[in-house]
Amino acid sequence: MSKILFISSEAFPLIKTGGLGDVAGSLPTALLKQSQNVRLLLPAYPEVLYKIKEKKIRASTSFYNQPVDIVETRLPGTQLRVWLVDCPSVYHRPGGPYIDERGHPWHDNALRFAIFCHTAVAIAMNQFKLKWQPDVVHCNDWQTGLVPALLSLQKKRPATVFTIHNLAYQGLFDQQTFDDLQLPEQLWHMDGLEFHNQLSFIKGGLAYADRITTVSPTYAEEICQPEMGYGLDGLLSYRKQKLSGILNGVNEKYWNPGTDFHLVQKYNQKSLNKKSLNKTALQEEFLFDVDASIPMIGMVSRLVEQKGLDIILQALPRLLSMPLQLVILGTGDLHFEMLLSEIAQHYPDRFKVVIGYNELLAHKIEAASDIYLMPSTFEPCGLNQLYSLRYGTLPIVTPVGGLADTVINASDKNIKNKSANGFVLKEHSLTALLNSIHHALELYAQADTWRQLQVNAMNCDHSWGKSAHQYIKLYQQAITDNPA
Ligand code: ADP
């Protein structure tokens, strides 16, 4: 049994903006179930403090003259102990974890997450005498990147693991910020935190962690190439021996069509015919034609370029002339939000766009749709295609990252050998997308084949237990690698 300090800037159900929140809300609990001794460290945003019931201050300190309390609580509905980094001056404000109410990154994000990282290092080095010192510190994304860097300067430190959930977000700040944060001078060089004269938080993880992981084997390969490496491919290739990919899982407590309390009608493999009641309910809600035989395509996503909105927008005129219904839920770039909403106004009977973050509607769309659209330009792992598989909603995806690792194209051969569970575009292009949609609609019209594809999809094992087992092995390797 290892003691693991799991550090994340978000964790469902306390706070979530994307996949990282899902992972941090699931993996630590899955590790706990496999007898690991885990603590989750999270900033105490107002939304988090509002949601927790019990809380106890375990230690107090200050960084950069800002008072910090470590508040102990539990992740709602679990036994997992959570330590909240409560620093009111930087976290107690309206807005999101990373952006303000107008959608701009917080002006002091470097300070906000430096405080988070310093607190993590102090816990890791047992400076608060909490009677608990980790063997492994598991960091996630740039917000935690300073932790492996700072720990690398310590004697007798825990091992460090750094997981990349999305290399596109790196935490880049100017050199002055490095000076203002009074970070150790020996970390400022091209093999350290410096990235073309800028301070790179993520490089702290990539350069100094004992082990690096990302959230799918294919993405682990892709980020070592210039096209997807954001200039960090050289460093990642150099550290390739220490880099691996472990797929994310599905949290069965929240994403199981057999028990999902958000649904009008629960269902499983054996009662798949009941799935369409979720479709007719959503058709009624959105004032579409109510007819279970009309194929429904769904999408729940951040509305950013990564998610393939360029080709979706190009495909819309053709798509909306087909006999289908389309539902998109998301928030993100203003111009995508406006374009989609504008187009939807012209097709009120078949195209619904809901702008906003809506957990309930996300579940309803997964259950109601027949087909799920996810033609991302890149996708580290992707969770919605996994949820779609679980809900018998066949995903249409590009052959990148975790999508390539989890979706098996409905080719004749794969249909025959019962491995097919979705549709994989030949490439990221409009033609490929339209071809795959046509293919999906053709198969949708063949009820028996479609049913078999749904069963194949629902039978895929993407449980967190499986992934947690791989992380536990990795922690052991990190402990062995730790030179301190
Ligand atoms: P990413 O982390 O790149 O946003 P993932 O597919 O890994 O993409 O994870 C996205 C998670 O966020 C999923 O759980 C998805 O359901 C959820 N999500 C994204 N946008 C919304 C939204 N507008 N409303 C509700 N849930 C959303």
Side-chain angles (χ1 to χ4, degrees):
M1 182 195 68
S2 301
K3 290 201 214 98
I4 301 145
L5 180 65
F6 193 96
I7 314 177
S8 173
S9 54
E10 52 183 276
F12 186 81
L14 292 173
I15 179 98
K16 164 176 155 182
T17 70
L20 171 63
D22 283 335
V23 175
S26 306
L27 175 57
T29 324
L31 291 165
L32 201 67
K33 281 200 189 119
Q34 296 191 25
S35 308
Q36 305 300 300
N37 186 335
V38 194
R39 303 280 185 279
L40 169 65
L41 192 72
L42 188 72
Y45 312 108
E47 194 175 331
V48 170
L49 291 171
Y50 175 75
K51 282 184 185 164
I52 56 172
K53 287 204 183 80
E54 42 163 334
K55 56 177 173 179
K56 183 168 139 200
I57 296 180
R58 291 292 308 269
S60 297
T61 183
S62 72
F63 293 106
Y64 307 107
N65 294 324
Q66 311 297 318
V68 175
D69 285 336
I70 296 177
V71 176
E72 181 167 307
T73 184
R74 305 243 178 203
L75 192 71
T78 75
Q79 286 305 307
L80 181 73
R81 262 183 235 235
V82 181
W83 283 338
L84 301 174
V85 179
D86 192 10
C87 181
S89 59
V90 294
Y91 301 135
H92 288 203
R93 21 175 115 150
Y98 319 118
I99 54 178
D100 64 22
E101 283 168 309
R102 287 176 307 146
H104 302 307
W106 290 111
H107 66 93
D108 55 353
N109 265 344
L111 174 69
R112 297 172 74 236
F113 291 108
I115 290 174
F116 186 48
C117 290
H118 279 299
T119 311
V121 170
I123 294 172
M125 296 309 296
N126 200 18
Q127 285 167 10
F128 299 125
K129 306 278 178 257
L130 291 169
K131 297 199 187 111
W132 188 91
Q133 186 172 19
D135 306 307
V136 180
V137 179
H138 187 163
C139 305
N140 295 277
D141 274 355
W142 74 263
Q143 295 84 356
T144 64
L146 297 182
V147 176
L150 293 169
L151 280 176
S152 74
L153 305 174
Q154 302 282 340
K155 287 201 195 95
K156 284 197 72 92
R157 63 168 175 88
T160 50
V161 171
F162 185 82
T163 297
I164 305 162
H165 297 264
N166 194 336
L167 194 62
Y169 302 94
Q170 300 166 9
L172 288 177
F173 302 94
D174 58 16
Q175 185 174 2
Q176 184 61 45
T177 307
F178 179 86
D179 298 335
D180 293 347
L181 292 177
Q182 298 155 35
L183 293 170
E185 208 49 53
Q186 64 265 48
L187 297 176
W188 184 262
H189 53 88
M190 62 180 282
D191 297 323
L193 296 180
E194 184 199 345
F195 185 67
H196 304 290
N197 285 323
Q198 287 190 291
L199 162 63
S200 164
F201 268 53
I202 202 167
K203 273 192 80 190
L206 307 187
Y208 294 101
D210 296 311
R211 288 274 166 167
I212 308 163
T213 73
T214 186
V215 285
S216 69
T218 295
Y219 193 60
E221 293 289 330
E222 289 169 346
I223 54 179
C224 292
Q225 305 299 325
E227 299 77 41
M228 291 206 199
Y230 299 92
L232 294 163
D233 39 292
L235 171 59
L236 287 163
S237 302
Y238 175 71
R239 299 215 62 203
K240 208 161 180 190
Q241 296 302 318
K242 305 293 177 194
L243 168 67
S244 58
I246 301 177
L247 280 172
N248 289 334
V250 173
N251 190 330
E252 276 286 310
K253 196 166 132 194
Y254 299 107
W255 291 100
N256 176 349
T259 54
D260 191 338
F261 62 87
H262 300 97
L263 307 188
V264 169
Q265 177 64 57
K266 301 180 180 65
Y267 62 95
N268 57 32
Q269 274 106 316
K270 292 200 185 95
S271 56
L272 250 172
N273 52 331
K274 291 189 187 158
K275 175 175 161 60
S276 67
L277 290 173
N278 293 293
K279 176 158 68 178
T280 45
L282 205 62
Q283 287 172 331
E284 270 173 36
E285 185 176 332
F286 289 161
L287 307 177
F288 289 171
D289 288 341
V290 181
D291 179 347
S293 71
I294 302 175
M296 182 181 279
I297 303 185
M299 180 173 184
V300 179
S301 180
R302 289 185 297 120
L303 299 178
V304 295
E305 207 184 315
Q306 178 200 339
K307 303 295 178 178
L309 285 153
D310 52 345
I311 54 173
I312 291 175
L313 280 164
Q314 291 169 37
L316 277 181
R318 301 271 280 282
L319 209 58
L320 293 168
S321 67
M322 298 178 195
L324 53 79
Q325 296 169 339
L326 180 61
V327 177
I328 298 181
L329 163 65
T331 54
D333 292 350
L334 204 59
H335 79 282
F336 287 135
E337 293 184 356
M338 280 166 49
L339 271 173
L340 288 169
S341 307
E342 159 73 19
I343 298 169
Q345 278 181 10
H346 299 288
Y347 301 89
D349 59 332
R350 70 187 67 183
F351 184 24
K352 180 78 181 175
V353 172
V354 180
I355 301 300
Y357 187 91
N358 187 332
E359 196 69 33
L360 166 65
L361 188 55
H363 285 252
K364 292 206 280 192
I365 292 175
E366 283 291 1
S369 305
D370 302 291
I371 296 166
Y372 188 86
L373 204 52
M374 202 163 173
S376 308
T377 55
F378 71 94
E379 196 59 75
C381 176
L383 284 163
N384 274 109
Q385 89 281 14
L386 300 182
Y387 302 152
S388 300
L389 293 172
R390 189 73 191 82
Y391 281 61
T393 305
L394 304 185
I396 295 187
V397 305
T398 18
V400 293
L403 301 175
D405 292 335
T406 54
V407 181
I408 301 169
N409 190 39
S411 64
D412 291 346
K413 182 174 146 235
N414 293 337
I415 291 175
K416 250 191 215 119
N417 67 25
K418 299 198 173 148
S419 62
N421 62 12
F423 302 87
V424 182
L425 272 61
K426 276 216 170 66
E427 62 191 8
H428 182 87
S429 72
L430 172 63
T431 313
L433 177 62
L434 288 170
N435 285 343
S436 282
I437 293 172
H438 278 299
H439 187 201
L441 294 178
E442 257 168 47
L443 293 184
Y444 178 78
Q446 302 169 27
D448 290 346
T449 309
W450 192 260
R451 175 63 59 101
Q452 185 60 51
L453 291 174
Q454 288 181 300
V455 170
N456 298 347
M458 293 177 89
N459 278 338
C460 294
D461 177 10
H462 290 294
S463 62
W464 267 113
K466 198 164 133 187
S467 308
H469 183 71
Q470 289 174 273
Y471 276 106
I472 292 168
K473 280 219 294 238
L474 183 95
Y475 296 148
Q476 291 312 316
Q477 291 166 339
I479 290 169
T480 312
D481 286 355
N482 178 6

